[in-house]
Amino acid sequence: MRRRSFFQGKAPRRFRFFLALAVLLLLTAALAPALAPNDPEKTHVQAMKQAPSAEFPLGTDEYGRCVLSRVLAGAPVSVFGAIGLVAASFVVGTFLGMLCGYYEGFLDEVMMRLADILLAFPQMVLAIAVAGLLGGGLKNALLALGITSWTVYARLARSLTLQAKKETYVAAARFSGCRGPALLFKQILPNVVGSLAVTAATQIGSTMMGIAGLSFLGIGVIPPRAEWGSMISEGRSYMQLAPWATLAPAAAVVVTVVVFNCLGDVARDLGPAGKEMG
């Protein structure tokens, strides 16, 4: 009952506020094609670098494309791309980390040493190197970032699993005949997934920045496909003439990253309180 009351309205206002903003951003990204006032790929020769107007609320870029429509078109790439990568890294890292923590031994040594090697390199530097070898494109950019993303969840899942193995509920489950994968995924996983999910929430913003950063460098999403990082890169060459072409996607990145970072921070702060109330 106490846990139910926590989810029904005792969560701090900040959490509900940022959760509402995050949901609004997700809805905007999902409905982007319907919300765009113009075709994001259509050029208007007579309206190149045009200032914001009724027809083009955020102006146009050097090809006469509607900046607002392109910002909206880039939202699914940035938002859902980041969430998809975080979800995949969460699943892979949690699975490997729990196996390492539960069985230990050779598997644990190999996977943790591999994680240590990957963590020895700055994520963005390694992602740039991998994306440079694989070539441009959203899939290659996500793969480049995902090479190191799973390590965060693997190390945390391993630590939590090692702690959970010492708990009385695990001993009781073993005494009742629960062994192996059944014990790992039916008993231990439900008790550690909360902390892992909070960590995942805090990683969404940084993953968005990674996608935008690779696209900005020309090794992520390839133009003319709309993506916030590549739009910033394209617009900087004529920023003095049409600053809106750069400022609009930059503002979209900043707002989205801030919202998801704040949501993750509040969720992390709520973690201990949520456990106590459970």
Side-chain angles (χ1 to χ4, degrees):
M1 294 296 294
R2 296 169 67 189
R3 178 176 296 174
R4 181 172 59 187
S5 65
F6 171 74
F7 287 107
Q8 285 181 348
K10 289 189 177 180
R13 293 180 180 178
R14 284 198 308 150
F15 178 77
R16 294 197 297 268
F17 174 71
F18 287 115
L19 180 61
L21 289 180
V23 171
L24 179 61
L25 288 172
L26 291 175
L27 289 175
T28 301
L31 300 174
L35 296 175
N38 298 283
D39 184 347
E41 304 297 336
K42 185 177 180 180
T43 59
H44 301 81
V45 180
Q46 303 299 325
M48 294 188 296
K49 301 178 186 177
Q50 178 177 301
S53 62
E55 184 179 3
F56 305 108
L58 293 181
T60 62
D61 61 10
E62 62 178 336
Y63 299 107
R65 298 173 299 190
C66 177
V67 173
L68 175 58
S69 299
R70 289 184 61 76
V71 169
L72 289 171
V77 178
S78 299
V79 176
F80 294 131
I83 292 176
L85 177 57
V86 169
S89 302
F90 172 84
V91 172
V92 173
T94 298
F95 178 75
L96 293 175
M98 291 187 67
L99 289 180
C100 292
Y102 185 76
Y103 292 105
E104 300 186 57
F106 177 76
L107 176 64
D108 183 32
E109 287 293 327
V110 172
M111 296 308 302
M112 290 302 103
R113 296 299 75 77
L114 175 60
D116 291 339
I117 292 173
L118 292 175
L119 289 173
F121 300 92
Q123 183 188 34
M124 199 60 186
V125 173
L126 185 59
I128 290 173
V130 174
L133 292 174
L134 297 177
L138 178 62
K139 292 182 179 179
N140 289 341
L142 294 178
L143 178 60
L145 292 169
I147 286 178
T148 57
S149 297
W150 65 272
T151 57
V152 176
Y153 309 101
R155 293 176 69 88
L156 179 58
R158 173 183 178 273
S159 175
L160 293 173
T161 302
L162 288 172
Q163 295 176 13
K165 287 168 61 177
K166 302 175 184 178
E167 299 292 335
T168 54
Y169 73 88
V170 174
R174 283 180 177 148
F175 183 75
S176 65
C178 188
R179 294 285 189 277
L183 176 63
L184 186 61
F185 294 107
K186 290 184 179 180
Q187 300 295 328
I188 297 179
L189 178 60
N191 288 278
V192 304
V193 71
S195 297
L196 291 163
V198 170
T199 301
T202 63
Q203 295 295 312
I204 295 176
S206 59
T207 302
M208 288 183 187
M209 288 294 295
I211 295 173
L214 291 178
S215 298
F216 179 84
L217 295 174
I219 50 179
V221 177
I222 302 175
R225 185 177 183 180
E227 196 280 330
W228 295 339
S230 61
M231 290 177 64
I232 297 172
S233 180
E234 289 179 329
R236 62 176 178 161
S237 61
Y238 52 90
M239 188 171 180
Q240 292 183 340
L241 297 176
W244 47 84
T246 300
L247 295 179
V253 173
V254 171
V255 171
T256 307
V257 170
V258 167
V259 168
F260 280 100
N261 279 350
C262 290
L263 178 63
D265 289 342
V266 174
R268 181 181 55 196
D269 295 339
L270 282 176
K275 292 179 181 178
E276 290 175 5
M277 298 181 73

